[in-house]
Amino acid sequence: MIEARGLSKRYGATVAVDSLTFNVRSSMVTGFLGPNGSGKSTTMRLILGLDAPDAGQARIGGRRYRDLRWPLREVGALLEARAFHPGRSARAHLRALAASNAIPRSRVEEVLGLVGLADAAGRRAGTFSLGMAQRLGIAAALLGDPQVLLLDEPVNGLDPEGIRWVRDLLRSLAAEGRTVFVSSHLIGEVARTADHVVVIAGGRLLADTSVAELSARSASLEDAFFELTSGGAGTQATPQEKARTS
Amino acid sequence: MTTMAPGTARDRVGFPQAARMEWIKLRSLRSTWWVLALTVAGAVGIAVAVGVNTEDAAADLTNNALAGISLGLLLVGVLGVLAMTGEHSSGMIRATLAAVPNRPLVLAAKAAVFGAVALAAGEAAAFIAFLAGGAALPAGVPAPTLGQPGVLRAVVLGGAGYCLIGLLGVGLGTIIRHTPAAIAVLVGGVYVLAQLVAGFATWTMPYLPIAIVANSLSVVEPVGVGQVRFLSPWAGLGMLCLYAAATLGAGAFLLARRDA
Protein backbone atom coordinates (compact mmCIF):
# COMPACT_ATOMS: atom_id res chain seq x y z
CA MET A 1 0.00 0.00 0.00
CA ILE A 2 1.28 3.42 -0.99
CA GLU A 3 -0.13 6.52 0.66
CA ALA A 4 0.45 10.04 -0.58
CA ARG A 5 -0.72 12.74 1.84
CA GLY A 6 -0.76 16.35 0.70
CA LEU A 7 2.36 15.90 -1.41
CA SER A 8 3.60 19.19 -2.85
CA LYS A 9 6.73 20.00 -4.76
CA ARG A 10 7.87 23.04 -6.65
CA TYR A 11 10.98 23.53 -8.76
CA GLY A 12 11.82 27.20 -8.71
CA ALA A 13 8.63 29.05 -9.57
CA THR A 14 6.96 26.03 -11.13
CA VAL A 15 4.56 23.91 -9.12
CA ALA A 16 5.16 20.30 -10.14
CA VAL A 17 2.93 18.56 -7.62
CA ASP A 18 0.20 20.30 -5.69
CA SER A 19 -1.29 18.79 -2.50
CA LEU A 20 -1.65 15.30 -3.90
CA THR A 21 -3.46 12.81 -1.70
CA PHE A 22 -4.23 9.29 -2.83
CA ASN A 23 -3.80 5.63 -1.89
CA VAL A 24 -2.50 2.82 -4.04
CA ARG A 25 -3.87 -0.50 -2.85
CA SER A 26 -2.46 -4.01 -3.04
CA SER A 27 -3.68 -6.88 -5.20
CA MET A 28 -4.50 -4.65 -8.13
CA VAL A 29 -2.86 -2.60 -10.85
CA THR A 30 -3.30 1.11 -10.33
CA GLY A 31 -2.73 3.26 -13.38
CA PHE A 32 -1.27 6.73 -12.96
CA LEU A 33 -2.56 8.86 -15.78
CA GLY A 34 -1.80 12.39 -16.79
CA PRO A 35 -0.57 14.44 -19.71
CA ASN A 36 3.17 14.80 -20.26
CA GLY A 37 4.59 17.03 -17.57
CA SER A 38 1.62 16.62 -15.26
CA GLY A 39 3.81 15.59 -12.33
CA LYS A 40 3.68 11.80 -12.56
CA SER A 41 7.45 11.29 -12.51
CA THR A 42 7.88 13.89 -9.78
CA THR A 43 5.29 12.09 -7.66
CA MET A 44 7.16 8.82 -8.10
CA ARG A 45 10.46 10.45 -7.13
CA LEU A 46 8.79 11.89 -4.03
CA ILE A 47 7.44 8.46 -3.04
CA LEU A 48 10.95 7.00 -3.40
CA GLY A 49 12.54 9.80 -1.39
CA LEU A 50 14.72 10.85 -4.32
CA ASP A 51 13.28 14.35 -4.21
CA ALA A 52 12.17 15.91 -0.94
CA PRO A 53 8.58 17.20 -0.86
CA ASP A 54 8.01 20.81 0.14
CA ALA A 55 4.93 19.64 2.03
CA GLY A 56 3.14 16.41 2.77
CA GLN A 57 4.59 12.96 2.86
CA ALA A 58 4.50 9.59 1.16
CA ARG A 59 4.46 6.27 2.97
CA ILE A 60 4.86 2.72 1.78
CA GLY A 61 3.32 0.13 4.05
CA GLY A 62 3.13 2.83 6.70
CA ARG A 63 6.79 3.84 6.52
CA ARG A 64 8.75 6.49 4.71
CA TYR A 65 10.93 5.08 1.95
CA ARG A 66 14.14 6.03 3.70
CA ASP A 67 13.08 4.03 6.76
CA LEU A 68 12.72 0.77 4.82
CA ARG A 69 15.25 -1.77 6.05
CA TRP A 70 15.94 -3.42 2.69
CA PRO A 71 14.36 -1.03 0.17
CA LEU A 72 14.82 -3.17 -2.94
CA ARG A 73 13.20 -6.17 -1.26
CA GLU A 74 10.15 -4.11 -0.37
CA VAL A 75 9.80 -1.71 -3.29
CA GLY A 76 10.85 -2.15 -6.91
CA ALA A 77 10.98 0.94 -9.09
CA LEU A 78 11.48 1.71 -12.75
CA LEU A 79 11.86 5.46 -13.00
CA GLU A 80 13.47 6.01 -16.35
CA ALA A 81 14.95 3.81 -19.00
CA ARG A 82 18.74 4.01 -18.94
CA ALA A 83 19.14 4.65 -15.22
CA PHE A 84 22.37 2.72 -15.47
CA HIS A 85 25.97 3.45 -16.42
CA PRO A 86 26.39 2.84 -20.17
CA GLY A 87 29.82 1.26 -19.68
CA ARG A 88 28.62 -1.44 -17.33
CA SER A 89 27.09 -4.75 -18.38
CA ALA A 90 23.49 -5.51 -17.51
CA ARG A 91 24.69 -8.31 -15.27
CA ALA A 92 27.16 -6.12 -13.38
CA HIS A 93 24.51 -3.41 -12.97
CA LEU A 94 22.09 -5.89 -11.42
CA ARG A 95 24.80 -7.53 -9.30
CA ALA A 96 25.73 -4.17 -7.82
CA LEU A 97 22.11 -3.47 -6.93
CA ALA A 98 21.65 -7.00 -5.57
CA ALA A 99 24.73 -6.66 -3.35
CA SER A 100 23.39 -3.43 -1.86
CA ASN A 101 20.35 -5.24 -0.44
CA ALA A 102 21.95 -8.63 0.27
CA ILE A 103 20.01 -10.27 -2.55
CA PRO A 104 21.67 -13.50 -3.74
CA ARG A 105 23.47 -13.41 -7.08
CA SER A 106 21.36 -16.29 -8.38
CA ARG A 107 18.41 -13.89 -8.36
CA VAL A 108 20.26 -11.70 -10.90
CA GLU A 109 20.32 -14.56 -13.40
CA GLU A 110 16.68 -15.29 -12.59
CA VAL A 111 15.46 -11.78 -13.44
CA LEU A 112 17.71 -11.58 -16.50
CA GLY A 113 15.96 -14.68 -17.79
CA LEU A 114 12.57 -13.37 -16.77
CA VAL A 115 12.91 -10.19 -18.84
CA GLY A 116 14.57 -11.96 -21.76
CA LEU A 117 18.03 -10.42 -21.39
CA ALA A 118 19.98 -13.58 -20.51
CA ASP A 119 21.84 -13.56 -23.82
CA ALA A 120 22.66 -9.85 -23.69
CA ALA A 121 23.61 -9.75 -20.01
CA GLY A 122 27.34 -9.49 -20.64
CA ARG A 123 27.05 -6.62 -23.10
CA ARG A 124 27.70 -3.01 -22.15
CA ALA A 125 24.25 -1.67 -21.35
CA GLY A 126 25.03 1.51 -23.30
CA THR A 127 24.65 -0.51 -26.50
CA PHE A 128 21.08 -1.53 -25.61
CA SER A 129 18.04 -0.43 -27.59
CA LEU A 130 15.37 1.48 -25.70
CA GLY A 131 13.31 -1.68 -25.43
CA MET A 132 16.23 -3.61 -23.93
CA ALA A 133 16.96 -0.74 -21.56
CA GLN A 134 13.35 -0.88 -20.35
CA ARG A 135 13.67 -4.61 -19.82
CA LEU A 136 16.81 -4.04 -17.76
CA GLY A 137 14.94 -1.43 -15.72
CA ILE A 138 12.11 -3.89 -15.13
CA ALA A 139 14.65 -6.56 -14.14
CA ALA A 140 16.09 -4.14 -11.58
CA ALA A 141 12.60 -3.43 -10.22
CA LEU A 142 11.88 -7.16 -9.84
CA LEU A 143 15.31 -7.94 -8.37
CA GLY A 144 14.28 -7.96 -4.71
CA ASP A 145 10.96 -9.74 -5.35
CA PRO A 146 9.20 -6.72 -3.81
CA GLN A 147 5.59 -6.45 -2.66
CA VAL A 148 5.31 -2.93 -4.06
CA LEU A 149 6.19 -1.90 -7.62
CA LEU A 150 6.37 1.61 -9.06
CA LEU A 151 6.87 1.75 -12.78
CA ASP A 152 7.12 4.99 -14.72
CA GLU A 153 6.11 4.49 -18.35
CA PRO A 154 7.32 0.87 -18.51
CA VAL A 155 6.12 0.19 -22.05
CA ASN A 156 7.97 3.13 -23.62
CA GLY A 157 10.09 1.85 -26.47
CA LEU A 158 8.74 -1.70 -26.28
CA ASP A 159 7.43 -3.49 -29.35
CA PRO A 160 3.86 -4.87 -29.37
CA GLU A 161 5.08 -8.18 -28.03
CA GLY A 162 6.94 -6.41 -25.23
CA ILE A 163 3.90 -4.31 -24.38
CA ARG A 164 1.76 -7.41 -24.05
CA TRP A 165 4.47 -9.04 -21.94
CA VAL A 166 4.54 -6.08 -19.53
CA ARG A 167 0.74 -6.09 -19.35
CA ASP A 168 0.66 -9.79 -18.46
CA LEU A 169 3.52 -9.33 -15.99
CA LEU A 170 1.78 -6.47 -14.17
CA ARG A 171 -1.51 -8.40 -14.02
CA SER A 172 0.21 -11.48 -12.62
CA LEU A 173 2.13 -9.43 -10.04
CA ALA A 174 -1.13 -7.87 -8.87
CA ALA A 175 -2.80 -11.28 -8.83
CA GLU A 176 -0.08 -12.40 -6.40
CA GLY A 177 -1.28 -9.71 -4.02
CA ARG A 178 1.32 -7.06 -4.80
CA THR A 179 0.81 -3.35 -5.07
CA VAL A 180 1.43 -2.22 -8.65
CA PHE A 181 1.52 1.50 -9.47
CA VAL A 182 2.20 2.20 -13.11
CA SER A 183 2.25 5.54 -14.84
CA SER A 184 1.46 5.99 -18.48
CA HIS A 185 0.28 8.56 -20.91
CA LEU A 186 -1.15 5.75 -23.05
CA ILE A 187 -4.77 5.64 -21.99
CA GLY A 188 -5.64 2.56 -23.99
CA GLU A 189 -2.84 0.64 -22.30
CA VAL A 190 -4.04 1.71 -18.85
CA ALA A 191 -7.61 0.73 -19.76
CA ARG A 192 -6.37 -2.74 -20.64
CA THR A 193 -4.02 -3.21 -17.69
CA ALA A 194 -5.29 -1.30 -14.68
CA ASP A 195 -8.14 -1.90 -12.26
CA HIS A 196 -7.92 1.47 -10.62
CA VAL A 197 -6.71 4.80 -11.88
CA VAL A 198 -5.26 7.98 -10.38
CA VAL A 199 -5.51 10.91 -12.80
CA ILE A 200 -3.51 14.09 -12.36
CA ALA A 201 -2.86 17.18 -14.43
CA GLY A 202 -0.81 20.21 -13.52
CA GLY A 203 0.23 18.39 -10.37
CA ARG A 204 -3.33 18.21 -9.05
CA LEU A 205 -5.49 15.19 -8.44
CA LEU A 206 -8.39 14.98 -10.90
CA ALA A 207 -9.69 11.50 -10.19
CA ASP A 208 -8.97 8.51 -7.96
CA THR A 209 -11.42 5.85 -9.01
CA SER A 210 -11.87 2.47 -10.65
CA VAL A 211 -11.25 2.17 -14.36
CA ALA A 212 -14.78 0.82 -14.80
CA GLU A 213 -16.34 3.76 -13.00
CA LEU A 214 -14.29 6.33 -14.91
CA SER A 215 -14.95 4.67 -18.26
CA ALA A 216 -18.68 4.65 -17.55
CA ARG A 217 -18.69 8.44 -17.25
CA SER A 218 -18.10 8.78 -21.00
CA ALA A 219 -18.00 6.74 -24.15
CA SER A 220 -14.56 5.41 -23.19
CA LEU A 221 -11.74 5.86 -20.69
CA GLU A 222 -10.05 8.09 -23.22
CA ASP A 223 -13.06 10.36 -23.53
CA ALA A 224 -13.41 10.49 -19.77
CA PHE A 225 -9.71 11.38 -19.48
CA PHE A 226 -10.00 14.27 -21.93
CA GLU A 227 -13.10 15.56 -20.20
CA LEU A 228 -11.20 15.56 -16.92
CA THR A 229 -8.00 17.12 -18.17
CA SER A 230 -9.61 19.74 -20.39
CA GLY A 231 -10.74 21.49 -17.23
CA GLY A 232 -7.69 23.74 -17.54
CA ALA A 233 -5.66 22.14 -14.81
CA GLY A 234 -3.28 20.59 -17.29
CA THR A 235 -2.30 23.71 -19.19
CA GLN A 236 0.59 24.72 -16.94
CA ALA A 237 2.13 21.32 -17.21
CA THR A 238 5.11 21.54 -19.49
CA PRO A 239 7.56 24.06 -17.97
CA GLN A 240 8.32 21.98 -14.93
CA GLU A 241 9.20 19.00 -17.02
CA LYS A 242 11.62 21.27 -18.86
CA ALA A 243 13.06 22.41 -15.57
CA ARG A 244 13.71 18.81 -14.58
CA THR A 245 15.35 17.71 -17.75
CA SER A 246 17.63 20.72 -18.18
CA MET B 1 9.83 -16.49 -6.01
CA THR B 2 13.18 -16.75 -4.34
CA THR B 3 14.74 -16.99 -0.93
CA MET B 4 16.67 -14.03 0.34
CA ALA B 5 19.93 -14.25 2.19
CA PRO B 6 19.49 -14.18 5.94
CA GLY B 7 19.77 -10.67 7.29
CA THR B 8 22.90 -9.33 8.85
CA ALA B 9 23.11 -8.57 12.52
CA ARG B 10 21.61 -5.13 11.93
CA ASP B 11 19.11 -6.55 9.45
CA ARG B 12 19.07 -3.48 7.30
CA VAL B 13 21.19 -1.94 4.59
CA GLY B 14 24.50 -0.93 6.11
CA PHE B 15 28.07 -0.13 5.21
CA PRO B 16 29.09 -3.67 4.15
CA GLN B 17 26.27 -3.87 1.60
CA ALA B 18 26.84 -0.35 0.30
CA ALA B 19 30.57 -0.99 0.01
CA ARG B 20 29.97 -4.23 -1.88
CA MET B 21 27.74 -2.36 -4.31
CA GLU B 22 30.38 0.32 -4.84
CA TRP B 23 33.12 -2.26 -5.33
CA ILE B 24 31.09 -4.04 -8.03
CA LYS B 25 30.33 -0.71 -9.68
CA LEU B 26 33.97 0.38 -9.68
CA ARG B 27 35.46 -2.88 -10.88
CA SER B 28 32.86 -3.45 -13.61
CA LEU B 29 33.89 -0.37 -15.58
CA ARG B 30 36.76 -1.00 -17.96
CA SER B 31 37.84 2.64 -17.66
CA THR B 32 38.79 2.02 -14.02
CA TRP B 33 41.44 -0.50 -14.97
CA TRP B 34 42.71 1.46 -17.94
CA VAL B 35 43.20 4.60 -15.90
CA LEU B 36 44.91 2.79 -13.03
CA ALA B 37 47.20 0.89 -15.40
CA LEU B 38 48.07 4.13 -17.17
CA THR B 39 48.79 5.78 -13.82
CA VAL B 40 51.25 3.09 -12.81
CA ALA B 41 52.84 2.97 -16.27
CA GLY B 42 53.20 6.77 -16.33
CA ALA B 43 54.89 6.91 -12.93
CA VAL B 44 57.30 4.13 -13.89
CA GLY B 45 58.02 5.60 -17.32
CA ILE B 46 58.92 8.99 -15.92
CA ALA B 47 61.02 7.42 -13.15
CA VAL B 48 63.05 5.53 -15.75
CA ALA B 49 63.45 8.63 -17.93
CA VAL B 50 64.64 10.71 -14.98
CA GLY B 51 66.93 7.92 -13.79
CA VAL B 52 68.62 7.48 -17.13
CA ASN B 53 69.30 11.21 -17.35
CA THR B 54 70.74 11.54 -13.84
CA GLU B 55 74.44 12.51 -13.83
CA ASP B 56 75.37 12.42 -10.17
CA ALA B 57 73.96 11.71 -6.72
CA ALA B 58 73.72 15.37 -5.69
CA ALA B 59 69.90 15.50 -5.96
CA ASP B 60 67.27 13.67 -3.91
CA LEU B 61 67.23 10.56 -6.07
CA THR B 62 64.18 9.15 -4.29
CA ASN B 63 62.22 12.29 -5.08
CA ASN B 64 63.46 12.09 -8.66
CA ALA B 65 62.23 8.51 -8.98
CA LEU B 66 58.82 9.64 -7.70
CA ALA B 67 58.61 12.60 -10.11
CA GLY B 68 55.93 10.90 -12.19
CA ILE B 69 53.49 10.95 -9.30
CA SER B 70 52.73 14.64 -9.72
CA LEU B 71 51.55 14.08 -13.27
CA GLY B 72 49.73 10.80 -12.74
CA LEU B 73 47.82 12.19 -9.79
CA LEU B 74 45.50 13.88 -12.21
CA LEU B 75 44.35 10.59 -13.70
CA VAL B 76 43.36 9.19 -10.31
CA GLY B 77 41.74 12.50 -9.39
CA VAL B 78 39.66 12.44 -12.57
CA LEU B 79 38.72 8.82 -11.91
CA GLY B 80 37.52 9.94 -8.48
CA VAL B 81 35.44 12.71 -10.04
CA LEU B 82 33.90 10.26 -12.52
CA ALA B 83 33.01 7.79 -9.76
CA MET B 84 30.35 10.29 -8.71
CA THR B 85 29.61 12.46 -11.76
CA GLY B 86 29.20 9.31 -13.87
CA GLU B 87 26.26 8.38 -11.65
CA HIS B 88 24.63 11.74 -12.19
CA SER B 89 25.18 11.91 -15.96
CA SER B 90 23.80 8.39 -16.49
CA GLY B 91 20.88 8.52 -14.06
CA MET B 92 22.45 5.65 -12.11
CA ILE B 93 22.38 7.85 -9.02
CA ARG B 94 18.61 7.33 -8.69
CA ALA B 95 19.05 3.54 -8.80
CA THR B 96 21.84 3.84 -6.23
CA LEU B 97 19.86 6.03 -3.85
CA ALA B 98 16.74 3.90 -4.22
CA ALA B 99 18.85 0.90 -3.20
CA VAL B 100 20.58 2.72 -0.33
CA PRO B 101 18.49 5.71 0.77
CA ASN B 102 21.01 6.70 3.45
CA ARG B 103 23.00 9.12 1.30
CA PRO B 104 25.98 9.81 3.58
CA LEU B 105 26.34 6.02 3.79
CA VAL B 106 26.48 5.82 -0.02
CA LEU B 107 29.22 8.43 -0.14
CA ALA B 108 31.15 6.87 2.74
CA ALA B 109 31.07 3.49 0.99
CA LYS B 110 32.09 4.99 -2.33
CA ALA B 111 34.95 6.95 -0.76
CA ALA B 112 36.16 3.94 1.21
CA VAL B 113 36.15 1.61 -1.79
CA PHE B 114 37.62 4.14 -4.18
CA GLY B 115 40.19 5.23 -1.62
CA ALA B 116 41.31 1.65 -1.02
CA VAL B 117 41.65 0.93 -4.75
CA ALA B 118 43.47 4.23 -5.37
CA LEU B 119 45.79 3.54 -2.43
CA ALA B 120 46.66 0.09 -3.73
CA ALA B 121 47.31 1.42 -7.24
CA GLY B 122 49.20 4.42 -5.84
CA GLU B 123 51.50 2.32 -3.68
CA ALA B 124 52.13 -0.02 -6.61
CA ALA B 125 52.99 2.98 -8.77
CA ALA B 126 55.28 4.50 -6.14
CA PHE B 127 57.18 1.31 -5.30
CA ILE B 128 57.60 0.15 -8.89
CA ALA B 129 58.65 3.66 -9.96
CA PHE B 130 61.16 3.85 -7.10
CA LEU B 131 62.72 0.52 -7.99
CA ALA B 132 62.66 1.15 -11.75
CA GLY B 133 64.06 4.67 -11.33
CA GLY B 134 66.89 3.34 -9.19
CA ALA B 135 67.67 0.56 -11.65
CA ALA B 136 67.79 3.07 -14.50
CA LEU B 137 70.51 5.18 -12.85
CA PRO B 138 73.81 5.21 -14.76
CA ALA B 139 76.73 3.19 -13.45
CA GLY B 140 78.53 5.07 -10.72
CA VAL B 141 75.42 6.69 -9.27
CA PRO B 142 74.32 4.56 -6.31
CA ALA B 143 70.58 3.88 -6.23
CA PRO B 144 68.74 4.83 -3.03
CA THR B 145 67.51 1.93 -0.94
CA LEU B 146 64.38 1.60 1.15
CA GLY B 147 66.55 1.08 4.23
CA GLN B 148 68.06 4.59 4.06
CA PRO B 149 66.55 7.21 6.40
CA GLY B 150 63.33 8.73 5.08
CA VAL B 151 63.28 6.77 1.84
CA LEU B 152 60.60 4.22 2.70
CA ARG B 153 58.45 7.00 4.15
CA ALA B 154 58.82 9.09 0.99
CA VAL B 155 57.77 6.18 -1.22
CA VAL B 156 54.82 5.16 0.96
CA LEU B 157 53.52 8.72 1.36
CA GLY B 158 54.05 9.40 -2.34
CA GLY B 159 51.78 6.48 -3.10
CA ALA B 160 49.25 7.72 -0.55
CA GLY B 161 49.16 11.02 -2.45
CA TYR B 162 47.27 9.31 -5.28
CA CYS B 163 44.64 8.09 -2.87
CA LEU B 164 44.11 11.50 -1.27
CA ILE B 165 43.91 13.36 -4.58
CA GLY B 166 41.51 10.64 -5.78
CA LEU B 167 39.32 11.24 -2.72
CA LEU B 168 39.50 14.98 -3.38
CA GLY B 169 38.11 14.12 -6.82
CA VAL B 170 35.27 12.06 -5.32
CA GLY B 171 34.42 14.98 -3.03
CA LEU B 172 34.50 17.53 -5.84
CA GLY B 173 32.43 15.26 -8.07
CA THR B 174 29.82 14.96 -5.32
CA ILE B 175 29.68 18.71 -4.78
CA ILE B 176 29.69 19.75 -8.44
CA ARG B 177 27.92 16.75 -10.06
CA HIS B 178 28.73 17.75 -13.65
CA THR B 179 31.75 15.98 -15.11
CA PRO B 180 33.41 18.80 -17.09
CA ALA B 181 32.94 21.39 -14.34
CA ALA B 182 34.22 19.07 -11.63
CA ILE B 183 37.27 18.09 -13.68
CA ALA B 184 37.94 21.76 -14.41
CA VAL B 185 37.87 22.59 -10.69
CA LEU B 186 40.11 19.64 -9.89
CA VAL B 187 42.69 20.49 -12.53
CA GLY B 188 42.40 24.18 -11.75
CA GLY B 189 42.76 23.65 -8.03
CA VAL B 190 45.58 21.16 -8.21
CA TYR B 191 47.66 22.42 -11.14
CA VAL B 192 46.67 25.81 -12.51
CA LEU B 193 46.27 27.46 -9.13
CA ALA B 194 49.77 26.31 -8.26
CA GLN B 195 51.16 28.19 -11.25
CA LEU B 196 49.29 31.38 -10.39
CA VAL B 197 50.08 31.27 -6.70
CA ALA B 198 53.72 30.68 -7.39
CA GLY B 199 53.77 34.10 -9.03
CA PHE B 200 51.56 36.15 -6.71
CA ALA B 201 51.26 34.67 -3.23
CA THR B 202 54.23 32.45 -2.74
CA TRP B 203 53.52 31.99 0.96
CA THR B 204 50.52 29.78 0.12
CA MET B 205 52.68 27.55 -2.08
CA PRO B 206 53.41 24.93 0.65
CA TYR B 207 49.68 24.34 1.13
CA LEU B 208 48.83 23.56 -2.48
CA PRO B 209 48.02 19.88 -3.10
CA ILE B 210 50.53 19.47 -5.91
CA ALA B 211 53.30 21.08 -3.87
CA ILE B 212 52.49 18.88 -0.91
CA VAL B 213 52.75 15.71 -3.00
CA ALA B 214 55.88 16.79 -4.86
CA ASN B 215 57.78 18.58 -2.09
CA SER B 216 56.46 17.25 1.23
CA LEU B 217 55.30 13.66 0.80
CA SER B 218 57.76 12.30 -1.71
CA VAL B 219 61.00 13.85 -0.43
CA VAL B 220 63.57 12.30 1.85
CA GLU B 221 64.40 15.66 3.47
CA PRO B 222 61.87 18.51 3.61
CA VAL B 223 63.02 21.19 1.22
CA GLY B 224 62.67 24.89 0.61
CA VAL B 225 62.83 27.01 -2.49
CA GLY B 226 63.98 30.56 -1.83
CA GLN B 227 61.79 31.96 0.98
CA VAL B 228 59.32 29.10 0.81
CA ARG B 229 59.59 26.26 3.33
CA PHE B 230 57.48 23.30 2.33
CA LEU B 231 55.48 21.39 4.92
CA SER B 232 57.04 18.43 6.65
CA PRO B 233 55.92 15.06 5.21
CA TRP B 234 53.46 14.35 8.01
CA ALA B 235 52.08 17.88 8.10
CA GLY B 236 51.65 17.64 4.34
CA LEU B 237 49.83 14.34 4.69
CA GLY B 238 47.56 15.89 7.31
CA MET B 239 46.86 18.85 5.06
CA LEU B 240 45.88 16.61 2.12
CA CYS B 241 43.67 14.53 4.42
CA LEU B 242 42.02 17.74 5.52
CA TYR B 243 41.33 18.78 1.91
CA ALA B 244 39.84 15.39 1.07
CA ALA B 245 37.78 15.31 4.27
CA ALA B 246 36.50 18.85 3.73
CA THR B 247 35.31 18.19 0.16
CA LEU B 248 33.81 14.82 1.10
CA GLY B 249 32.09 16.38 4.11
CA ALA B 250 30.65 19.19 1.98
CA GLY B 251 29.68 16.60 -0.61
CA ALA B 252 27.87 14.47 1.96
CA PHE B 253 26.04 17.53 3.27
CA LEU B 254 24.87 18.49 -0.23
CA LEU B 255 24.10 14.94 -1.37
CA ALA B 256 21.81 14.47 1.63
CA ARG B 257 19.92 17.69 0.96
CA ARG B 258 19.65 17.94 -2.80
CA ASP B 259 17.03 16.32 -4.98
CA ALA B 260 18.39 13.43 -6.98
Side-chain angles (χ1 to χ4, degrees):
Chain A
M1 163 106 141
I2 304 168
E3 301 159 272
R5 290 285 169 275
L7 273 187
S8 295
K9 180 67 178 178
R10 53 168 62 234
Y11 298 105
T14 313
V15 177
V17 170
D18 192 359
S19 320
L20 267 188
T21 296
F22 61 86
N23 289 340
V24 182
R25 278 169 291 162
S26 61
S27 306
M28 61 169 74
V29 176
T30 300
F32 194 21
L33 269 180
N36 285 338
S38 56
K40 301 190 296 292
S41 300
T42 299
T43 304
M44 293 218 169
R45 281 198 303 272
L46 294 174
I47 293 170
L48 294 170
L50 295 172
D51 288 13
D54 297 320
Q57 55 175 300
R59 286 175 181 268
I60 297 170
R63 280 177 299 162
R64 290 172 305 183
Y65 188 87
R66 66 162 182 258
D67 295 330
L68 300 178
R69 303 170 80 82
W70 300 102
L72 297 188
R73 298 198 218 161
E74 297 175 58
V75 181
L78 166 72
L79 279 190
E80 61 210 298
R82 307 200 183 280
F84 48 73
H85 195 294
R88 203 171 278 131
S89 73
R91 180 176 283 119
H93 173 72
L94 294 174
R95 279 190 181 170
L97 294 177
S100 72
N101 276 244
I103 297 163
R105 270 162 66 144
S106 57
R107 178 64 183 163
V108 169
E109 301 306 319
E110 230 173 277
V111 293
L112 280 168
L114 197 64
V115 302
L117 282 180
D119 293 336
R123 255 170 62 188
R124 295 167 71 238
T127 65
F128 281 8
S129 67
L130 180 55
M132 294 169 84
Q134 286 285 19
R135 286 171 183 270
L136 178 53
I138 292 170
L142 296 174
L143 193 58
D145 198 15
Q147 276 301 309
V148 177
L149 284 127
L150 279 85
L151 307 164
D152 196 5
E153 306 274 2
V155 301
N156 259 7
L158 291 182
D159 56 17
E161 188 199 351
I163 292 174
R164 165 168 274 186
W165 169 73
V166 168
R167 190 189 305 149
D168 293 345
L169 175 70
L170 298 184
R171 304 261 1 135
S172 70
L173 290 167
E176 289 166 8
R178 299 174 209 257
T179 305
V180 181
F181 191 42
V182 54
S183 84
S184 183
H185 61 277
L186 302 172
I187 300 158
E189 196 43 46
V190 170
R192 258 182 240 117
T193 311
D195 311 283
H196 198 88
V197 67
V198 172
V199 185
I200 66 168
R204 288 171 168 275
L205 185 73
L206 298 184
D208 178 359
T209 180
S210 74
V211 170
E213 196 275 328
L214 188 59
S215 305
R217 287 191 202 172
S218 298
S220 68
L221 182 66
E222 189 175 40
D223 289 335
F225 174 78
F226 283 121
E227 275 166 36
L228 273 175
T229 54
S230 63
T235 49
Q236 60 199 2
T238 26
Q240 128 257 339
E241 204 61 30
K242 278 185 197 147
R244 281 301 303 177
T245 49
S246 64
Chain B
M1 264 189 263
T2 184
T3 47
M4 295 301 169
T8 61
R10 294 175 64 235
D11 198 32
R12 69 178 300 157
V13 173
F15 184 83
Q17 291 80 26
R20 219 165 288 144
M21 169 172 71
E22 293 302 329
W23 167 232
I24 296 172
K25 284 200 278 191
L26 187 63
R27 75 170 188 222
S28 61
L29 288 178
R30 254 179 274 171
S31 51
T32 302
W33 303 111
W34 278 112
V35 169
L36 293 178
L38 201 60
T39 302
V40 176
V44 175
I46 290 173
V48 170
V50 172
V52 166
N53 290 298
T54 302
E55 284 168 0
D56 54 51
D60 180 344
L61 295 181
T62 300
N63 188 237
N64 281 1
L66 299 174
I69 292 179
S70 312
L71 290 167
L73 279 179
L74 185 63
L75 292 171
V76 179
V78 167
L79 199 61
V81 165
L82 288 172
M84 196 44 115
T85 60
E87 296 232 1
H88 284 285
S89 60
S90 66
M92 179 70 199
I93 188 72
R94 282 177 281 282
T96 297
L97 296 180
V100 184
N102 182 342
R103 298 183 182 190
L105 179 67
V106 168
L107 184 58
K110 194 182 280 289
V113 168
F114 185 82
V117 170
L119 184 64
E123 295 300 347
F127 274 92
I128 299 173
F130 172 78
L131 296 173
L137 289 170
V141 181
T145 65
L146 292 171
Q148 289 164 349
V151 172
L152 180 62
R153 190 222 63 230
V155 177
V156 169
L157 292 195
Y162 285 103
C163 165
L164 291 169
I165 298 294
L167 290 176
L168 185 67
V170 174
L172 288 174
T174 310
I175 294 169
I176 299 169
R177 294 191 282 186
H178 298 282
T179 306
I183 290 177
V185 170
L186 177 77
V187 175
V190 173
Y191 288 89
V192 183
L193 197 65
Q195 300 300 319
L196 291 176
V197 161
F200 295 103
T202 41
W203 66 271
T204 59
M205 195 68 191
Y207 302 98
L208 296 174
I210 193 75
I212 292 174
V213 174
N215 300 317
S216 296
L217 298 190
S218 59
V219 292
V220 173
E221 285 284 339
V223 290
V225 176
Q227 303 281 51
V228 177
R229 291 300 307 173
F230 289 102
L231 298 176
S232 77
W234 299 107
L237 185 74
M239 202 71 211
L240 274 192
C241 287
L242 201 64
Y243 290 149
T247 50
L248 286 170
F253 179 85
L254 291 169
L255 184 64
R257 275 155 193 81
R258 287 197 292 220
D259 289 338

